[in-house]
Structures are given as C-alpha cells and as structure tokens.
Amino acid sequence: GYWLYPTQSDTIDTMMANYDNPAGTTTIAGSYPYAGAYGTFDQGGNVVEWNEAVLLYGYGRGLRGGSFEDGCGDLQASYRSDGYYEWYASFASYENPYIGFRVVQAVPEPSSVIAVLSGIASLLALRRRKA
C-alpha cells in the first residue's frame, strides 16, 4: 500500500513521530513504536535524512523527511527538501543538528541470486567436463 506518512498511515501526530518539537531536540532511536512498511522505525521526524538523489548540478545530495523542528507536512513521503536545506546537503562533511542519514544495505532480489547460483553451477559443470 501507499501511505502519506512513514508510520503506515495517512494521518500523524506527535505521539507517532518527533516533529513540531518545541524543545528542539532529537530522541533516541526506537522511541516511537510505529513501524513503517518495511519494519523500520523513526523514519519520520527527528532529523531530515540525506539520500542518494544528486541535486544542485551534481554537487549536493537530496533530503527527505522532516526534522524535530519541522511541521507534519515535511514528514510526508512525497516531500523533498529544497531551498534552505540544499546548501547543507551539498557537503557531506558539514555538521548540522537537523540533518542525518540512515545506513542501509541493498538486499539482492531472489531472481539475481538464482542467476548467480546457476552461473556458478554451469561453470563447475564445464570445468568437470574439461577434466
């Protein structure tokens, strides 16, 4: 399914994610018990996440999500930061309390694993024939 917010819902409030925070602080990962579609937590709020999208004529990276200081509209899946934040996104070494990143690992599709295994099996069979 498709939802507006990373909490698998079309509505959100401050009990579900860290945004509109008057204290202006981040929270500990896992503070909000609402998981996203892939079982991940805290994808909305806390900090804007730096991602792979290349912006600013190849010098900057894209940003998604809202920070603890932003409103709920910035947490929507369709929201992409532009303007103010893009300056900070341009340089990975620049420190900013509103911007972070999420480390992920790509999981290969089952079809690509099968293709690799069948390729290895073919090579082994070919090797046996030659021997």
Side-chain angles (χ1 to χ4, degrees), residues 2-100:
Y2 177 83
W3 297 275
L4 291 176
Y5 296 99
T7 53
Q8 287 187 316
S9 68
D10 288 335
T11 60
I12 198 163
D13 62 40
T14 54
M15 297 303 292
M16 300 169 87
N18 185 21
Y19 68 94
D20 269 344
N21 185 335
T25 57
T26 58
T27 57
I28 295 171
S31 294
Y32 297 91
Y34 298 91
Y38 300 102
T40 56
F41 291 89
D42 303 324
Q43 291 217 220
N46 235 7
V47 295
V48 176
E49 292 182 356
W50 195 53
N51 62 49
E52 289 185 285
V54 178
L55 304 172
L56 297 175
Y57 309 104
Y59 295 109
R61 293 291 182 167
L63 296 168
R64 291 276 185 176
S67 75
F68 55 85
E69 167 177 273
D70 296 325
C72 68
D74 294 357
L75 291 139
Q76 290 187 5
S78 60
Y79 181 77
R80 173 183 268 172
S81 297
D82 57 1
Y84 174 74
Y85 283 126
E86 299 310 337
W87 168 253
Y88 299 113
S90 297
F91 307 101
S93 61
Y94 188 84
E95 293 182 32
N96 183 292
Y98 309 106
I99 297 174

